[in-house]
């Protein structure tokens, strides 16, 4: 039984950085926007997954800079995660976006290369959503999968994806201890002459740290005595399998306890630390990739390739593949990941095969396992959301088909010289 019907110009699935950037942009361009989010707050990785840093860069997405500044401006009275929850909610509200929280897609109806309508489960029951244009910014490509799009998962040789993690913060570090460790070659000497990364590797080998954790990354949060910890790692588990989720949650929280004990016992100034916050859901780096008219590759990134239909310009982040089968980085466990040159993301990566009124943005766009490891980060995802919104505007002004838009006009709208 359908309890209610929502209609819009564009319906967006997923209120993470890509979906939020798209929703705000589309609404400001005059579209009636519905944003559907399965969790109880917006923000995705920035809030529910507790990922504080805005990583990566792009040259042309002004909305991303605005979102980031709004979060920073809200930080004076609250931690960055709580600030992000408020700042993002306010941006969406002020733009006039209709947001449906705690709502999950349960069926998709298609005909003639179009998504016609979907059904979502809500606190009231099942509701129907209709739209002229659809955007999958869910990260997991849920809308595209249920519509029947071609999907790929994991690396070619064995289908394994990057590991899941659970981010957390600690407090109680002595003010004089300034230790930070941000990557695999961030060597730091402790006061007693020991080298921090070497200590982590030895603890992993001895069993003092989990076998998948050979580095405990420590990031500044901007608050005295506090660090964000990026260390927990669970391999060979798919977040797309429902029965895996609780066991993953349990194992990662066990790892949190082990990591805190390691820091207390080994790092000067950390003896009195405690966990003061953590993610409310698993940190998923990789799941589905929706195959579109072009598949972005690692070669494209390493060459810094530009495209005639590039709509995210000079995206830049390393090819950051966390080892799908063990600790550390996949290509070089002890070293930094390969560096990409500033590259473009072509519009064709955002147009799924087989559909005319469907776009993707965020980590589920069309690319290889390796390329995905670079473009999955927040600033680049926001750039994709910005471009997808403008593409939707142009399509709806024409015949409603995503492939019939004027690419040069789209590039102009997203501030790239045609």
């Amino acid at each position: 039984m359908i309890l209610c019907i929502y209609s819009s110009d564009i319906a967006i699935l997923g209120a993470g950085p890509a979906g939020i950037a798209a929703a705000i942009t589309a609404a400001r361009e005059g579209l009636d926007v519905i944003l559907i989010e399965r969790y109880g707050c917006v923000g995705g990785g920035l809030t529910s997954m507790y990922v504080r840093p805005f990583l990566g860069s792009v040259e042309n997405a002004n909305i991303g800079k605005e979102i980031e500044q709004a979060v920073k401006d809200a930080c004076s009275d609250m931690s960055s995660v709580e600030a992000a929850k408020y700042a993002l909610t306010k941006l969406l509200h002020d733009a006039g976006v209709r947001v449906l929280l705690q709502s999950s897609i349960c069926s998709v109806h298609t005909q003639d290369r179009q998504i016609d309508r979907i059904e979502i489960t809500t606190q009231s029951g099942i509701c129907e959503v209709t739209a002229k244009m659809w955007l999958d910014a869910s990260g997991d490509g849920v809308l595209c999968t249920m519509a029947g799009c071609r999907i790929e998962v994991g690396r070619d040789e064995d289908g394994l994806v990057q590991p899941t993690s659970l981010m957390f913060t600690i407090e109680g570090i002595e003010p004089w201890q300034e230790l930070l460790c941000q990557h695999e070659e961030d060597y730091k000497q402790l006061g007693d002459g020991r080298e921090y990364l070497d200590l982590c590797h030895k603890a992993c080998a001895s069993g003092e740290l989990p076998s998948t954790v050979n580095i405990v990354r420590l990031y500044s949060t901007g608050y005295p005595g506090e660090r964000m910890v990026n260390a927990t790692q669970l391999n060979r588990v798919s977040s797309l399998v429902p029965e895996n989720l609780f066991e993953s949650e349990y194992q990662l929280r066990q790892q949190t306890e082990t990591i805190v004990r390691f820091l207390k016992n080994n790092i000067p100034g950390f003896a009195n630390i405690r966990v003061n916050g953590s993610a409310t859901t698993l940190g998923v780096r990789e799941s589905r990739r929706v195959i579109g008219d072009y598949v972005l590759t690692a070669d494209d990134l390493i060459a810094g390739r530009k495209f005639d239909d590039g709509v995210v310009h000079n995206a830049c982040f390393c090819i950051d593949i966390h080892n799908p089968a063990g600790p550390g980085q996949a290509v070089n466990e002890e070293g930094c990941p390969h560096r990409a040159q500033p590259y473009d993301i072509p519009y064709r990566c955002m147009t799924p095969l087989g559909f005319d009124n469907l776009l993707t943005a965020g980590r589920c766009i069309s690319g290889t396992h390796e390329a995905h490891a670079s473009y999955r980060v927040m600033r680049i995802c926001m750039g994709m959301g910005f471009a997808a919104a403008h593409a939707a505007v142009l399509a709806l002004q024409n015949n409603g088909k995503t492939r019939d838009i004027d690419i040069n006009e789209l590039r102009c709208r997203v501030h790239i010289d045609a």
Side-chain angles (χ1 to χ4, degrees):
M1 178 180 177
I2 303 296
L3 295 178
C4 57
I5 298 176
Y6 297 98
S7 297
S8 64
D9 293 323
I10 182 170
I12 301 170
L13 191 70
I20 289 171
I24 294 169
T25 302
R28 289 176 177 175
E29 291 294 319
L31 297 189
D32 182 9
V33 182
I34 286 179
L35 179 61
I36 303 164
E37 170 55 47
R38 62 174 172 156
Y39 294 121
C41 70
V42 301
L46 188 58
T47 55
S48 297
M49 296 179 189
Y50 228 67
V51 182
R52 295 190 179 199
F54 286 90
L55 297 179
S57 63
V58 299
E59 284 191 4
N60 64 304
N62 292 341
I63 185 63
K65 296 173 185 174
E66 180 184 347
I67 290 170
E68 188 171 347
Q69 189 60 53
V71 172
K72 290 180 179 179
D73 290 346
C75 283
S76 59
D77 298 318
M78 57 188 84
S79 72
S80 60
V81 172
E82 298 306 313
K85 290 177 184 177
Y86 170 68
L88 299 174
T89 300
K90 185 177 188 303
L91 283 170
L92 290 164
H93 177 272
D94 291 351
V97 177
R98 289 184 289 162
V99 182
L100 306 180
L101 294 178
Q102 300 185 28
S103 300
S104 297
I105 185 172
C106 58
S107 67
V108 179
H109 301 267
T110 67
Q111 62 176 353
D112 300 327
R113 295 177 59 92
Q114 305 269 329
I115 293 179
D116 179 44
R117 67 189 188 280
I118 67 172
E119 292 176 357
I120 60 174
T121 58
T122 73
Q123 297 299 88
S124 298
I126 296 177
C127 296
E128 183 177 278
V129 179
T130 65
K132 302 169 187 174
M133 189 66 56
W134 301 84
L135 174 61
D136 191 334
S138 66
D140 294 326
V142 177
L143 174 60
C144 290
T145 300
M146 297 183 73
C149 294
R150 180 184 161 193
I151 302 295
E152 289 186 355
V153 178
R155 58 189 185 182
D156 291 341
E157 58 265 37
D158 52 19
L160 291 180
V161 298
Q162 293 190 60
T164 55
S165 293
L166 197 144
M167 305 283 279
F168 63 97
T169 54
I170 54 175
E171 64 181 7
I173 302 168
E174 296 295 336
W176 51 264
Q177 177 54 271
E178 299 179 351
L179 176 65
L180 299 173
C181 180
Q182 301 186 57
H183 55 76
E184 281 68 18
E185 290 186 347
D186 194 4
Y187 300 106
K188 297 291 176 67
Q189 292 292 126
L190 300 175
D192 54 11
R194 292 175 301 161
E195 200 284 313
Y196 176 69
L197 285 178
D198 181 62
L199 180 64
C200 291
H201 290 310
K202 288 177 178 177
C204 177
S206 70
E208 188 177 5
L209 282 172
S211 62
T212 56
V213 179
N214 67 357
I215 175 173
V216 179
R217 299 174 190 84
L218 301 170
Y219 300 88
S220 172
T221 66
Y223 292 90
E226 185 178 82
R227 300 288 191 278
M228 187 186 78
V229 183
N230 179 7
T232 64
Q233 182 164 311
L234 191 62
N235 297 91
R236 301 179 183 275
V237 174
S238 172
S239 62
L240 302 174
V241 180
E243 56 266 33
N244 286 350
L245 297 177
F246 179 74
E247 184 62 24
S248 298
E249 179 95 9
Y250 171 66
Q251 290 192 38
L252 289 170
R253 293 198 183 277
Q254 270 194 326
Q255 288 187 12
T256 298
E257 187 175 331
T258 302
I259 291 163
V260 169
R261 185 164 56 247
F262 160 77
L263 293 170
K264 280 186 172 184
N265 292 341
N266 290 280
I267 309 303
F270 278 64
N272 297 314
I273 63 170
R274 69 181 185 92
V275 174
N276 68 354
S278 65
T280 57
T281 188
L282 299 177
V284 178
R285 294 183 174 90
E286 179 182 8
S287 55
R288 301 184 185 97
R289 305 187 308 277
V290 182
I291 302 305
D293 293 305
Y294 185 82
V295 179
L296 198 65
T297 69
D299 287 343
D300 293 330
L301 276 55
I302 292 169
R305 193 155 290 140
K306 306 301 189 288
F307 298 89
D308 290 341
D309 65 334
V311 291
V312 178
H313 185 52
N314 278 346
C316 193
F317 192 66
C318 59
I319 300 176
D320 188 24
I321 305 174
H322 292 246
N323 194 347
Q329 302 293 307
V331 178
N332 181 3
E333 182 177 316
E334 303 295 327
C336 285
H338 287 305
R339 176 66 59 180
Q341 297 301 310
Y343 60 92
D344 283 1
I345 297 177
Y347 177 59
R348 288 167 292 158
C349 289
M350 300 163 62
T351 51
L353 296 174
F355 286 88
D356 293 327
N357 69 337
L358 174 61
L359 295 165
T360 57
R363 63 179 172 86
C364 67
I365 68 161
S366 181
T368 64
H369 164 77
E370 294 81 10
H372 159 278
S374 172
Y375 61 67
R376 64 184 173 87
V377 294
M378 281 191 273
R379 286 181 179 139
I380 301 176
C381 286
M382 289 189 291
M384 287 186 262
F386 179 66
H390 281 289
V393 171
L394 291 177
L396 291 174
Q397 288 175 352
N398 191 13
N399 60 8
K401 294 185 177 181
T402 56
R403 290 173 180 81
D404 290 348
I405 66 173
D406 184 324
I407 291 297
N408 287 334
E409 185 176 355
L410 175 58
R411 283 166 58 85
C412 182
R413 290 181 70 105
V414 298
H415 315 302
I416 300 174
D417 293 334

